[in-house]
Amino acid sequence: MTELEKCMAGEYYDCHNEIFLDFKKRARELLKGYNALAYEQKGEKMSILKELFGGIGSSVSVASPFICDYGRNIYVGNRVSVNMNCTFVDCNQIVIGDDVLIASNVQLYTATHPVELSERLTPDWHPESGQYFCRTYALPIKIGSGCWLGGGVIVLPGVTIGDGSVIGAGSVVTKDIPENSLAVGNPCRVIRKVNGGNR
């Protein structure tokens, strides 16, 4: 498997492989131009987002500043609003459905490292090896249609948030959230159903 294939499969991969450095360089160049544009330059902004993202629907707004890792792994549906100062670490796919609101300072992280130190450190690492000193892997994030993520929400790797759910401001979402749920806290937990769901 190539390093890219390993990454997308959720396996350990070399995040400093040339292909990822190229992805980062391209994204940084596009983001520099994007974040320099004025609010009213909507046409120019959309042109850059179409080039940056893997896929994007209609009536999408992404406020500046916006930060992402590669851009190419971000897929956004229709009628999506991403407020200012959001960070999408898209080493694996970030898929956002239709009619989604993402408030300021939201962070979506697909990349992670093993918790156990013995697994986190690269075996037999030395400076001349050309390897990174720790192991990295990435898991996809999915935000369902009709969701609202409040300010400062953090979504961790591998999490799916079901359609119609609301995540309260400041929450850290460590596990999947079922559809039509109001969930809050650190770690984020469902406190009740919404949108006519069972109570």
Side-chain angles (χ1 to χ4, degrees):
M1 295 176 76
T2 66
E3 294 303 314
L4 178 57
E5 288 170 337
K6 291 177 188 176
C7 174
M8 300 309 291
E11 299 182 6
Y12 295 140
Y13 71 100
D14 177 7
C15 60
H16 290 144
N17 183 273
E18 185 176 349
I19 191 167
F20 302 116
L21 297 181
D22 287 345
F23 290 162
K24 283 177 181 278
K25 180 181 178 183
R26 175 181 175 273
R28 295 299 180 273
E29 290 171 352
L30 290 170
L31 287 169
K32 183 178 179 181
Y34 185 84
N35 289 321
L37 291 172
Y39 174 81
E40 60 271 13
Q41 293 180 279
K42 298 183 185 297
E44 294 92 330
K45 284 187 162 187
M46 181 55 72
S47 293
I48 293 177
L49 290 178
K50 285 180 178 179
E51 190 175 352
L52 178 65
F53 289 172
I56 186 169
S58 61
S59 300
V60 173
S61 172
V62 179
S64 300
F66 174 73
I67 300 171
C68 64
D69 224 10
Y70 306 153
R72 69 191 305 275
N73 289 329
I74 299 171
Y75 295 85
V76 179
N78 301 306
R79 300 173 303 279
V80 173
S81 175
V82 178
N83 214 322
M84 61 185 173
N85 208 39
C86 289
T87 300
F88 293 5
V89 180
D90 63 310
C91 299
N92 207 314
Q93 286 192 354
I94 294 174
V95 179
I96 299 169
D98 299 331
D99 304 304
V100 172
L101 301 177
I102 297 179
S104 301
N105 300 303
V106 167
Q107 301 164 66
L108 308 181
Y109 296 127
T110 66
T112 188
H113 311 282
V115 171
E116 294 294 331
L117 180 61
S118 61
E119 297 174 16
R120 187 162 65 247
L121 298 179
T122 302
D124 304 318
W125 179 87
H126 56 88
E128 293 77 31
S129 67
Q131 296 178 305
Y132 194 45
F133 75 93
C134 70
R135 288 169 160 164
T136 301
Y137 64 101
L139 302 173
I141 288 173
K142 182 177 179 183
I143 311 298
S145 293
C147 288
W148 171 24
L149 276 58
V153 164
I154 297 173
V155 181
L156 297 188
V159 165
T160 293
I161 299 175
D163 292 350
S165 287
V166 177
I167 309 299
S171 297
V172 179
V173 190
T174 62
K175 295 180 180 178
D176 291 355
I177 301 296
E179 64 183 16
N180 297 315
S181 299
L182 173 61
V184 301
N186 180 8
C188 190
R189 291 188 172 93
V190 175
I191 58 172
R192 67 180 175 90
K193 300 300 274 185
V194 294
N195 306 322
N198 295 328
R199 298 185 183 275

